[in-house]
Amino acid sequence: MVQSILAGQEWDLFWRQFATKGAYKTVLQGLGITVEIAVFGLIIGIVIGTLIAVIKVVPKYKTFPKVLEKLADIYVGLFRGTPMVVQLLIGYFVLFPAIGIKGSNLNIITAILIFGMNSGAYVSEIMRSGIQSVDGGQLEAARAVGLPYGTSMMKVVIPQAVKNILPTLGNEFISLIKETSVVSFIAIVDLTKAFKQIGDANYAYIVPYLMLALVYLIIVYLITILVRLLERRMKKSDRRH
């Protein structure tokens, strides 16, 4: 009985703060920031990851590609070997101010760049496996008709690799969405911080955190559906060709 009454009080406090006092506006803004950081972070990660993957699969006949591969290994090891929070703190308080990046949105810019650079380290391995899953004859055929190596990779191999790794890229996007919960360390009011502020208002955290978990579940479910739809569309496109 006491628990049910407490639960009722918790819901009443949450709804009063969420609807009556306008906390829903902060939640919507936090949701937008969460999605913004994850989307742009994934885009940057795909670009960086693709470049690193190409560096790793390109033939190493000369010294320059070997040096690039070593640098790529250091990059991947650095971002995969340190926590995201540490990377955010170093970027926000040390790295970006040192190179002159300033502004009122420095925290959001930092989050997008760090998430993108971190994602690039993971996407590089995903993309490399995708490239290696493409039949080697595809690259040889492109080269045989006179296309340069880089053009062959970008127009023939990589598009096919992306189709193969689409579900894994979807999982990476989901991971980025969930990992944005740490951006409050650099003063960003994301989705997690927005719901925490609702709890802070009355020191009642049960319902806000339950609702936060529900929102994350809905976002993940929607992303999963989107990825499946993209997979089906790509399969239909392959059948037509």
Side-chain angles (χ1 to χ4, degrees):
M1 177 66 71
V2 175
Q3 291 180 346
S4 62
I5 293 174
L6 179 61
Q9 292 174 343
E10 289 270 355
W11 280 104
D12 183 61
L13 290 172
F14 170 79
W15 185 251
R16 190 182 310 164
Q17 192 68 28
F18 182 81
T20 307
K21 296 186 178 181
Y24 70 91
K25 297 178 182 178
T26 305
V27 170
L28 291 175
Q29 291 174 352
L31 175 61
I33 290 173
T34 292
V35 173
E36 178 184 2
I37 293 172
V39 168
F40 285 105
L42 181 63
I43 292 171
I44 295 172
I46 290 174
V47 173
I48 294 175
T50 301
L51 290 174
I52 293 176
V54 171
I55 288 171
K56 289 192 173 185
V57 300
V58 71
K60 306 299 186 299
Y61 300 127
K62 298 181 180 180
T63 303
F64 185 62
K66 294 179 181 179
V67 173
L68 286 179
E69 185 176 33
K70 292 296 182 183
L71 292 175
D73 288 338
I74 293 172
Y75 177 94
V76 172
L78 177 65
F79 279 94
R80 295 184 69 173
T82 54
M84 179 72 79
V85 173
V86 175
Q87 295 168 19
L88 284 171
L89 293 175
I90 292 175
Y92 184 63
F93 291 107
V94 181
L95 180 60
F96 296 140
I99 61 178
I101 298 179
K102 300 177 181 179
S104 58
N105 293 326
L106 177 60
N107 51 359
I108 295 178
I109 293 171
T110 299
I112 290 173
L113 292 176
I114 292 297
F115 269 73
M117 294 164 71
N118 181 280
S119 178
Y122 289 91
V123 172
S124 66
E125 292 302 308
I126 297 171
M127 185 64 72
R128 183 173 65 86
S129 64
I131 291 173
Q132 292 176 337
S133 69
V134 177
D135 185 3
Q138 298 287 325
L139 179 61
E140 293 176 4
R143 297 285 285 150
V145 297
L147 291 178
Y149 183 85
T151 305
S152 300
M153 290 294 295
M154 294 303 298
K155 292 189 175 181
V156 178
V157 178
I158 290 179
Q160 295 183 63
V162 170
K163 291 181 181 180
N164 295 338
I165 64 172
L166 186 60
T168 314
L169 286 178
N171 290 335
E172 174 64 15
F173 185 43
I174 289 172
S175 296
L176 288 177
I177 286 285
K178 292 186 291 186
E179 287 176 358
T180 56
S181 59
V182 302
V183 298
S184 60
F185 280 86
I186 56 173
I188 295 177
V189 182
D190 69 316
L191 190 61
T192 300
K193 183 67 173 179
F195 275 100
K196 183 179 183 301
Q197 288 180 348
I198 295 176
D200 290 340
N202 299 296
Y203 298 101
Y205 297 96
I206 296 176
V207 176
Y209 284 159
L210 287 175
M211 294 303 296
L212 173 63
L214 178 61
V215 172
Y216 274 118
L217 284 171
I218 292 172
I219 294 172
V220 170
Y221 180 70
L222 292 175
I223 294 172
T224 303
I225 292 176
L226 177 61
V227 171
R228 287 176 181 173
L229 290 174
L230 287 173
E231 281 187 276
R232 291 176 185 174
R233 187 169 182 178
M234 287 183 174
K235 287 179 180 178
K236 289 181 180 178
S237 178
D238 289 341
R239 289 170 187 170
R240 289 173 184 172
H241 291 86

